[in-house]
Each structure stands twice: as structure tokens, then as C-alpha cells.
């Protein structure tokens, strides 16, 4: 890693003592990346970009905010009305959470489609899921901070879930609340944790990238890189591609921020929290809706909570559940169809979560929940019975379409 | 790239369609507000008329605690006019150096003085119902300005057959449950506009809603004009990135 030669004397001097420039060159400039990555591979860096945006706007929002139930709602409105460009900071942060989740969801489903979780990338996948879990905690606590009606009642409903834990459930809930209901101590600890957790995410992202650069990127063909003819350096090829991606993301993100800033929000959260008035139906933020639907599909409190957390925990075991050695869905005709059905099931669950649990919504929610969990045993069986299509010999072979057929089978046995 | 675009488009359509399906209730008639669309802006004359409606009608029962008198400068009132408007109300201040609380005329830096000292007083004066604070009302109700307008103009003297409305309640087609404690607040010619605009019931309601929208989103004018510039900038930047990407990748494909 070290031992790089730099023309600039000062950089060379620093690098011999602290190899930050070597590390940067190794992992952000020279890093060999498969040459066939498609645009779905942009969403990892886009998620990273959103994390930076969230931290940058969040720090300045914290300067105008006050975590006290008596003033929190007014403090947010103070940011919106009296702080210079406070409305911009707050709308960037509020909608940034949604776009962060959009990027991460696409990133996860991309990994699912192209089998990026399979050996040797099991820990890379697990670290990604950990990031996702911490993100959910951070987003949930952030939503409580404006202390509107949905903040308060969302916090009440979600924290109450932990009371389903046998024996110690009530103690856990009391500990979360810092008292016997969602109140000022709850708001205080949520603010402290909401400020802390993004830095935990940063640390996890760092490990995620270390794991990525150890096992290297997967690619749309799902086959291993065979040699330098399959890769291109990260810079300038993927730096410019990621910049273009950021531009496209910004068009959507800023479009919402400037012209429909409350599109993802609930009107109820512009009503100050009132413990005596329950909103007609309490809905979590959209990115929690599929899990909310699973929670409500099980007619038993503990069972619902177990199913909800189980729906995420089971993803950690995906590398071992999926018994197929072929990574990319391109070469797995049946898995490809099941993947799209699974995606549709998740969307149906999301829709069920947004509706009051009445009538056919309950039935649809239950069928979709069953389908969600059925996906995993099915994946195991599928790996045993599915006949995958023949894999190309190397990444370079299909990319160099013009080259002779013999070229593909030639010398690339380096592994 | 094309496959990527079609699937992105499909996902975007789904993302828009799902919340659209999720929202329910009676269909609201969409009004042609001046601030609709990316280029939409408030009409200062309308905001001033709306403020007149708020001052003469709404503010008898409703508070607007998040808006300060100084903010009225945005509607085109001069500093002296703002001072005069504020000074009509008394606020409690103190303690003074004798340790006593005292009343003084409101200053431009004060927030709008509420009509009642507390929620209990407001309930007593309003038949047990609490008139909500109007600072954020346009953002705090599904449907926003269209909904508020529908409520203001949705009163009917006689409820439909089979519906009985208890004493002290009123029938309203737009309000959830159709039973509202607020009496019909506006009638034709209830205010006299200084700029000569004819004060029909609908006109008064529209002006009031415009003012309420400004109270809820005072940043909207700035947000829209900055947004158009920001998006044009990002669009050109993205095109340049794309051109550069094509050039850099030319020898890979």
C-alpha cells in the first residue's frame, strides 16, 4: 500500500510518515473496478453522498433546535421562519432522509438481483444490513424531534413494541422513555442518539468499504474478475460516472425540496404534540411501511414484533440460505422472476402498511407477509433445482463483442 | 441505459401512485392559486386583502402565534403601518423595576396577540370547542389550501335529509364528519376592500386562504425562485457530467 512515489515533495514527506495519500490512491484512484458495472451500481455512492448531506445539514439544524417538549415544535418553526435559509436546511434534511432510504433500498435490491451477497461478500452484505438497521433507528428518532402529533404518537406506538418482550418488556420500555410515558426525557435521549448514530453509520460505512475493497466489486455478470483486462481504474471512470449519478439524484431531490417539500410528510406533524388527542390513524414514515404491515399482519403482539424484526434478521442469513453458486439473476431464469415477485410483495406490504387495517387490507397484508417469508426457503430449494444458463468465461469476453470467440477462452486463467 | 431508465420510470410511477391511492376522503376541487407550480408566487395585494379578512374576522376567535407583526412588512405594509397595526393590541410585559407586570401596546417584534389568554378561555368563549391556531393550518391539513377553502365555503343552511346536526354545530360538506363547531364565518360583502375588489363570499375565502398559506409558508416565494435557478444549474451541470462521462468512457465501450 505504501511505497507510492509522489511528485510533490510535501505529499511525499507526509506519505512516508502517514500513508494517507497512498491509501487514497490505492482505494479511490487505482482501485480496479469491473468495467461492466451498470447504472444500478451508482446507488452505493449516492447513499454515501446522502449520508454526507444529512450530517452537514443536521449539524446546522442542531444549532437552532432545542430538545425540550415545551419549545421543540417552536424551535423547528424558528428554524423555518427566522434562521437565514433555515427552511432550506430543514427541507433538505427532512427529504434527505427519504432520498437516503430510496438510494439504500435500490442498493439493497441491486445486491439481491445480482447476488452480491454471496461468497466472498457475506460480511460486506451483513455490514450493509447493519448500516440499514442503524439508519432506521436514526430516522425514527429524527422524526420524533419536531414534536408534532405524528412524532409523539409514532414514538409511542413504536417504543411500545418492546413491551411485547417477555418478562423484561416493560422495563425496556421504561428505559427507552426515561419515565412512564413518551415525554421530555424521551425527547432528550432521542436527540442525543440522533446526533450520535450518524457517526456510527460513518464507521460502519468505512468498514463496508474496507470489506468491498478486499473482496472487490461484484458485477452484472456475477462472475469473478479474471485479470486486468476485466477492470478499469476507479478514477476517472467511476468518479465521473458517480458525479453524473449525483447530478441526476440532485434533480429529483432538489425538485422535491423546492417544489413539494412536504410530499413525503404527514400533515398531522404540523400540529404540536398533544398526549390527549390521538390522530385518526397513526402512520410511520414511508420507509417503515412494509415492516409495519408485517407487524400488523400477525394477530399476536409478540408474534408481530418477532415477525417484524425477523423480516430484517433473516436477510443476514441470505448468503447461506441461497444455495445457488451462480450470482447474477441474468443467468438464473426462475430466480429472476421470483426476484420481481419478491419486490412486488414488498411494495404491496408497503401499501398495506399505509392503510387502516380493515377489511381486505388485513387479508392482503397476511398473504403478502407469508409470501415475504416464503421467499427464503424457496431460494434454498431453487438453488438445488434451477438449471442456470451458461456463464460467460470472463467479463472482457462479452464486453469486447467484436473480438473473436476464441479470444474469450484464451489466457485468462489468473483468477 | 434505456433499460435502466424504463425501470426507474416504472418505480417512480409506482412511488407516486401508491401514496396517491393511499389518500382518501371526498375529492377536493383544486383551486387556481397564484402560488401553484414551480413559477407560482404570492400576490401581495391578495395577501393584504387576506390579512384584512384575518384581522376583521378570523382573529376574533383564532390565534396565529408563530407570525410576528414585523413579518407583515412582506405584504407591503410600511414600518409605520406595521407599528400601528401592532399597537392596536395589548401585551403583558414585565416585571418592571418595581417588580410589577404591566400591559403595553404590542411592538412589531411581538408575535400576533391571541384573542384568548389560554385554551380554556378560548373553549369557554366558543361553546366548548377550541379554535385551532392558524399559523400552520394550510400545512397541517390534508389537501392544504384547497381543503381550507372547501371548509370556508362548504357550509349549508340545511343538512341533507336524515342528517341531524346538534345545537351549536353546523353542517359542512368538506369537514370530516360534516359536523363543525365553527359558525359560517363569511358572507358576501362582510369586508370592504380598500383596493375595490368585489367582496363576494368566494373572494373573501380565497383571500383568507392565500394569507393563511403565506402564514404557513412565508418562505414560498423565495423557495420557488431559488428552486428554479438551482434546478437549471444542476441540469446544466448534469449534462456536462454526462458529456464528460461519454468522453472518458469512449475507449472502454
Amino acid at each position: 500500500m505504501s511505497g507510492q512515489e509522489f511528485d510533490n515533495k510535501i505529499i511525499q514527506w507526509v506519505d512516508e510518515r502517514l500513508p494517507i495519500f497512498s491509501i487514497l490512491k490505492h482505494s479511490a484512484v487505482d482501485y480496479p473496478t469491473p468495467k461492466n458495472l451498470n447504472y444500478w451500481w451508482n446507488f452505493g455512492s449516492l447513499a454515501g453522498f446522502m449520508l454526507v448531506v444529512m450530517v452537514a445539514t443536521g449539524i446546522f439544524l442542531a444549532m437552532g433546535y432545542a430538545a425540550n417538549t415545551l419549545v421543540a415544535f417552536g424551535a423547528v418553526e424558528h428554524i423555518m421562519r427566522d434562521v437565514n435559509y433555515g427552511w432550506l436546511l430543514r427541507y433538505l434534511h427532512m427529504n434527505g432522509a427519504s432520498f437516503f432510504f430510496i438510494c439504500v433500498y435500490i442498493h439493497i435490491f441491486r445486491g439481491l438481483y445480482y447476488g452480491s451477497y454471496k461468497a466472498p461478500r457475506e460480511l460486506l452484505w451483513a455490514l450493509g444490513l447493519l448500516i440499514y438497521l442503524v439508519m432506521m433507528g436514526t430516522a425514527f428518532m429524527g422524526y420524533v424531534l419536531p414534536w408534532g402529533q405524528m412524532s409523539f404518537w409514532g414514538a409511542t406506538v413504536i417504543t411500545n413494541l418492546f413491551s411485547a418482550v417477555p418478562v423484561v418488556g416493560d422495563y425496556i420500555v421504561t428505559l427507552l422513555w426515561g419515565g412512564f410515558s413518551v415525554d421530555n426525557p424521551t425527547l432528550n435521549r432521542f436527540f442525543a442518539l440522533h446526533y450520535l448514530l450518524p457517526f456510527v453509520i460513518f464507521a460502519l460505512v468505512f468498514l463496508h468499504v474496507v470489506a468491498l475493497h478486499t473482496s472487490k466489486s461484484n458485477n452484472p455478470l456475477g462472475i469473478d474478475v479474471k485479470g486486468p483486462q476485466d477492470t478499469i481504474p476507479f478514477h476517472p471512470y467511476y468518479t465521473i460516472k458517480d458525479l453524473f449519478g449525483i447530478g441526476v439524484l440532485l434533480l429529483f431531490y432538489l425538485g422535491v425540496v423546492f417544489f413539494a417539500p412536504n410530499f413525503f410528510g404527514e400533515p398531522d406533524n404540523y400540529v404540536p404534540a398533544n398526549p390527549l388527542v390521538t390522530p385518526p390513524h397513526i402512520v410511520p414514515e414511508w420507509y417503515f411501511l412494509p415492516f409495519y404491515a408485517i407487524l400488523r399482519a400477525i394477530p399476536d403482539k409478540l408474534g408481530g414484533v418477532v415477525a417484524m424484526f425477523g423480516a430484517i434478521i433473516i436477510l443476514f442469513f441470505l448468503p447461506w440460505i441461497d444455495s445457488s453458486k451462480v450470482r447474477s439473476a441474468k443467468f438464473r431464469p426462475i430466480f429472476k422472476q421470483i426476484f420481481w415477485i419478491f419486490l412486488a410483495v414488498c411494495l404491496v406490504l408497503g401499501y398495506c402498511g399505509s392503510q387502516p387495517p380493515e377489511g381486505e387490507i388485513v387479508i392482503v397484508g397476511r398473504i403478502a407477509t407469508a409470501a415475504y417469508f416464503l421467499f427464503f426457503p424457496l431460494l434454498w430449494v431453487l438453488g438445488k433445482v434451477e438449471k442456470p444458463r451458461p456463464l460467460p468465461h470472463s467479463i472482457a469476453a462479452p464486453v469486447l463483442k467484436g473480438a473473436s470467440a476464441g479470444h474469450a477462452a484464451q489466457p485468462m486463467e489468473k483468477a | 441505459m434505456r433499460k435502466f431508465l424504463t425501470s426507474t420510470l416504472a418505480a417512480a410511477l409506482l412511488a407516486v401512485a401508491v401514496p396517491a391511492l393511499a389518500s382518501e376522503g371526498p375529492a377536493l376541487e383544486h383551486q387556481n392559486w397564484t402560488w401553484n407550480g414551480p413559477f407560482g408566487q404570492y400576490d401581495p395585494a391578495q395577501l393584504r386583502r387576506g390579512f384584512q379578512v384575518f384581522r376583521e374576522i378570523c382573529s376574533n376567535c383564532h390565534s396565529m402565534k408563530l407570525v410576528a407583526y414585523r413579518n407583515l412588512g412582506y405584504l407591503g405594509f410600511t414600518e409605520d403601518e406595521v407599528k400601528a397595526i401592532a399597537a392596536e393590541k395589548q401585551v403583558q410585559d414585565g416585571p418592571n423595576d418595581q417588580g410589577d407586570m404591566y400591559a403595553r401596546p404590542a411592538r412589531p417584534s411581538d408575535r400576533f396577540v391571541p384573542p384568548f389568554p389560554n385554551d380554556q378561555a378560548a373553549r369557554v368563549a366558543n361553546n366548548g370547542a377550541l379554535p385551532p391556531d392558524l399559523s400552520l393550518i394550510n400545512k397541517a391539513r390534508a389537501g392544504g389550501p384547497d381543503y381550507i377553502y372547501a371548509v370556508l365555503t362548504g357550509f349549508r343552511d340545511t343538512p341533507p335529509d336524515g342528517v341531524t346536526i346538534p345545537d351549536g354545530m353546523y353542517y359542512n360538506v368538506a369537514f370530516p364528519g360534516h359536523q363543525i363547531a365553527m359558525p359560517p364565518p363569511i358572507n358576501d360583502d362582510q369586508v370592504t376592500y380598500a383596493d375595490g375588489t368585489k367582496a363576494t363570499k368566494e373572494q373573501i375565502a380565497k383571500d383568507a386562504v392565500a394569507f393563511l398559506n403565506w402564514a404557513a409558508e412565508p418562505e414560498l416565494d423565495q423557495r420557488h425562485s431559488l428552486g428554479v435557478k438551482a434546478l437549471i444549474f444542476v441540469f446544466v451541470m448534469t449534462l456536462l457530467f454526462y458529456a464528460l462521462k461519454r468522453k472518458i468512457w469512449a475507449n472502454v465501450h
Side-chain angles (χ1 to χ4, degrees), chain A residues 34-40 43 73-74 77-78 80-82 85 87-88 90-91 113 232 236-238 240-241 243-244 246-248 250-252 254-263 266-268 270-271 281 330 336 340 347 350-351 354-356 399-400, chain B residues 1 3-4 7-8 12 14-16 18-19 21-24 37-39 66-67 70-71 111 135-136 139-143 214-219 222-228 230-231 234-235 237-242 244-246 248-253:
Chain A
K35 56 167 66 168
N36 60 334
L37 299 189
N38 57 31
Y39 275 99
W40 296 112
F43 287 91
F73 188 89
E77 282 303 317
H78 160 72
M80 292 294 288
R81 289 157 191 271
D82 299 331
Y85 291 98
W87 57 268
L88 182 57
R90 198 238 170 170
Y91 280 154
Y113 186 84
I232 43 180
Y237 293 102
Y238 285 104
I240 183 62
K241 198 174 176 182
L243 277 176
F244 170 57
I246 287 174
V248 175
L250 279 177
L251 283 176
F252 287 97
L254 295 183
V256 171
V257 164
F258 283 111
F259 301 117
N262 294 302
F263 173 75
E266 279 291 320
D268 264 332
Y270 283 108
V271 178
H281 53 247
K330 266 190 178 167
K336 195 180 196 169
W340 289 111
L347 292 174
Y351 174 71
S354 72
Q355 297 299 300
V399 171
L400 304 170
Chain B
M1 182 77 185
K3 208 172 159 195
F4 178 81
S7 33
T8 314
L14 249 172
V16 174
V18 168
L21 283 170
S23 62
E24 46 183 309
F39 300 99
L66 296 175
V67 180
R70 63 183 157 83
N71 298 130
R111 310 261 160 178
S135 312
L136 285 164
K139 279 162 104 176
R141 297 290 183 274
W214 170 79
E217 304 188 290
E219 87 295 345
Q222 195 193 9
R223 176 156 58 77
H224 280 186
S225 67
L226 183 64
V228 170
L231 280 193
V234 172
F235 183 69
M237 183 185 82
T238 307
L239 282 184
L240 290 176
F241 280 150
Y242 185 62
L244 200 55
K245 193 253 159 196
R246 290 288 297 250
I248 289 174
W249 279 72
N251 57 351
V252 177
H253 286 305

Side-chain angles (χ1 to χ4, degrees), chain B:
Chain B
M1 182 77 185
R2 180 172 308 154
K3 208 172 159 195
F4 178 81
L5 282 180
T6 38
S7 33
T8 314
L9 198 72
L13 280 177
L14 249 172
V16 174
V18 168
L21 283 170
S23 62
E24 46 183 309
L28 285 174
E29 200 182 320
H30 290 286
Q31 306 297 324
N32 195 16
W33 305 111
T34 62
W35 61 89
N36 278 353
F39 300 99
Q41 298 275 311
Y42 292 127
D43 170 12
Q46 185 179 33
L47 295 188
R48 276 198 300 279
R49 291 197 301 272
F51 174 63
Q52 185 185 345
V53 177
F54 173 79
R55 195 163 138 195
E56 292 178 15
I57 304 172
C58 317
S59 69
N60 289 319
C61 301
H62 290 278
S63 58
M64 190 178 266
K65 293 175 188 165
L66 296 175
V67 180
Y69 292 106
R70 63 183 157 83
N71 298 130
L72 290 172
Y74 195 82
L75 310 192
F77 290 105
T78 64
E79 217 169 302
D80 289 335
E81 285 171 325
V82 171
K83 272 184 189 156
I85 291 168
E88 287 172 6
K89 302 275 182 178
Q90 295 283 311
V91 290
Q92 197 189 41
D93 204 344
N96 61 13
D97 48 13
Q98 301 299 311
D100 298 323
M101 303 301 280
Y102 58 93
R104 61 159 174 82
R107 301 188 196 111
S109 58
D110 286 313
R111 310 261 160 178
F112 280 11
V113 178
F116 303 105
N118 51 55
D119 286 357
Q120 288 72 11
R123 280 188 191 277
V124 167
N126 287 286
N127 218 356
L130 177 67
D133 184 85
L134 294 183
S135 312
L136 285 164
I137 201 79
N138 275 26
K139 279 162 104 176
R141 297 290 183 274
D146 293 328
Y147 168 76
I148 304 295
Y149 178 79
V151 167
L152 287 178
T153 55
F155 288 90
R156 301 288 178 268
D157 290 338
T158 45
D161 289 339
V163 178
T164 46
I165 295 292
D167 268 355
M169 300 296 268
Y170 303 87
Y171 183 79
N172 189 302
V173 289
F175 194 73
H178 301 306
Q179 189 176 304
I180 188 169
M182 174 171 73
I186 43 181
N187 298 301
D188 287 333
D189 298 316
Q190 196 167 345
V191 292
T192 312
Y193 285 132
D195 63 5
T197 306
K198 192 162 162 30
T200 61
K201 198 163 84 176
E202 287 75 19
Q203 184 66 42
I204 296 174
K206 273 199 175 140
D207 294 344
V209 170
F211 174 73
L212 292 177
N213 209 82
W214 170 79
E217 304 188 290
E219 87 295 345
L220 182 140
D221 283 343
Q222 195 193 9
R223 176 156 58 77
H224 280 186
S225 67
L226 183 64
V228 170
K229 290 172 206 150
L231 280 193
I232 291 172
F233 176 85
V234 172
F235 183 69
V236 173
M237 183 185 82
T238 307
L239 282 184
L240 290 176
F241 280 150
Y242 185 62
L244 200 55
K245 193 253 159 196
R246 290 288 297 250
K247 180 142 175 58
I248 289 174
W249 279 72
N251 57 351
V252 177
H253 286 305

Side-chain angles (χ1 to χ4, degrees), chain A residues 14 90 133 197 242 260 345-346 348 357 359 372:
Chain A
V14 172
R90 198 238 170 170
L133 273 179
L197 289 182
D242 283 344
V345 164
C346 292
V348 168
Y372 181 93

Side-chain angles (χ1 to χ4, degrees), chain A residues 24-33 213 231-243, chain B residues 244 248-249:
Chain A
L24 214 62
K25 190 159 187 314
H26 175 78
S27 53
V29 179
D30 295 340
Y31 174 62
T33 318
H213 287 207
T231 64
I232 43 180
F234 191 79
H235 182 74
Y237 293 102
Y238 285 104
T239 38
I240 183 62
K241 198 174 176 182
D242 283 344
L243 277 176
Chain B
L244 200 55
I248 289 174
W249 279 72

Side-chain angles (χ1 to χ4, degrees), chain A residues 336-370:
Chain A
K336 195 180 196 169
Q337 292 173 25
I338 290 177
F339 168 85
W340 289 111
I341 295 171
F342 181 67
L343 179 61
V345 164
C346 292
L347 292 174
V348 168
L349 279 173
Y351 174 71
C352 290
S354 72
Q355 297 299 300
E358 300 155 354
E360 61 264 42
I361 287 294
V362 180
I363 300 162
V364 174
R366 283 183 186 160
I367 294 171
T369 302

Side-chain angles (χ1 to χ4, degrees), chain A residues 61-310:
Chain A
L61 284 174
M63 294 177 189
Y65 177 73
N68 183 303
T69 52
L70 296 177
V71 296
F73 188 89
V76 172
E77 282 303 317
H78 160 72
I79 292 170
M80 292 294 288
R81 289 157 191 271
D82 299 331
V83 174
N84 288 335
Y85 291 98
W87 57 268
L88 182 57
L89 280 175
R90 198 238 170 170
Y91 280 154
L92 281 172
H93 197 74
M94 188 173 120
N95 290 294
S98 285
F99 278 87
F100 195 1
F101 270 100
I102 290 173
C103 291
V104 163
Y105 274 127
I106 295 177
H107 190 58
I108 293 174
F109 275 101
R110 191 272 290 153
L112 206 56
Y113 186 84
Y114 292 108
S116 300
Y117 50 85
K118 293 184 192 183
R121 301 187 181 85
E122 301 95 323
L123 289 183
L124 177 60
W125 172 257
L127 281 165
L129 288 174
L130 268 183
I131 294 171
Y132 173 56
L133 273 179
V134 181
M135 267 177 73
M136 296 216 282
T138 312
F140 162 66
M141 287 189 271
Y143 193 58
V144 176
L145 301 185
W147 208 243
Q149 272 290 66
M150 227 26 116
S151 300
F152 179 87
W153 289 100
T156 303
V157 169
I158 301 297
T159 48
N160 255 317
L161 293 181
F162 291 91
S163 70
V165 177
V167 189
V168 291
D170 288 333
Y171 295 101
I172 295 177
V173 175
T174 307
L175 202 65
L176 283 173
W177 286 345
F180 300 101
S181 65
V182 174
D183 207 336
N184 201 45
T186 325
L187 182 62
N188 273 303
R189 58 191 61 199
F190 277 19
F191 180 51
L193 292 174
H194 184 71
Y195 207 108
L196 167 73
L197 289 182
F199 298 98
V200 174
I201 296 180
F202 256 125
L204 288 171
V205 166
F206 178 76
L207 294 179
H208 191 63
V209 172
V210 170
L212 171 72
H213 287 207
T214 305
S215 53
K216 303 283 186 276
S217 304
N218 186 27
N219 65 80
L221 295 175
I223 55 174
D224 289 330
V225 166
K226 299 271 164 55
Q229 70 280 7
D230 289 346
T231 64
I232 43 180
F234 191 79
H235 182 74
Y237 293 102
Y238 285 104
T239 38
I240 183 62
K241 198 174 176 182
D242 283 344
L243 277 176
F244 170 57
I246 287 174
V248 175
L249 172 75
L250 279 177
L251 283 176
F252 287 97
Y253 174 34
L254 295 183
V256 171
V257 164
F258 283 111
F259 301 117
N262 294 302
F263 173 75
F264 293 107
E266 279 291 320
D268 264 332
N269 226 29
Y270 283 108
V271 178
N274 185 347
L276 301 178
V277 181
T278 319
H281 53 247
I282 300 166
V283 209
E285 288 278 80
W286 69 266
Y287 32 81
F288 295 128
L289 290 176
F291 301 104
Y292 195 52
I294 291 176
L295 170 76
R296 297 191 308 189
I298 314 285
D300 169 69
K301 190 172 177 185
L302 179 59
V305 173
V306 168
M308 183 179 74
F309 285 108

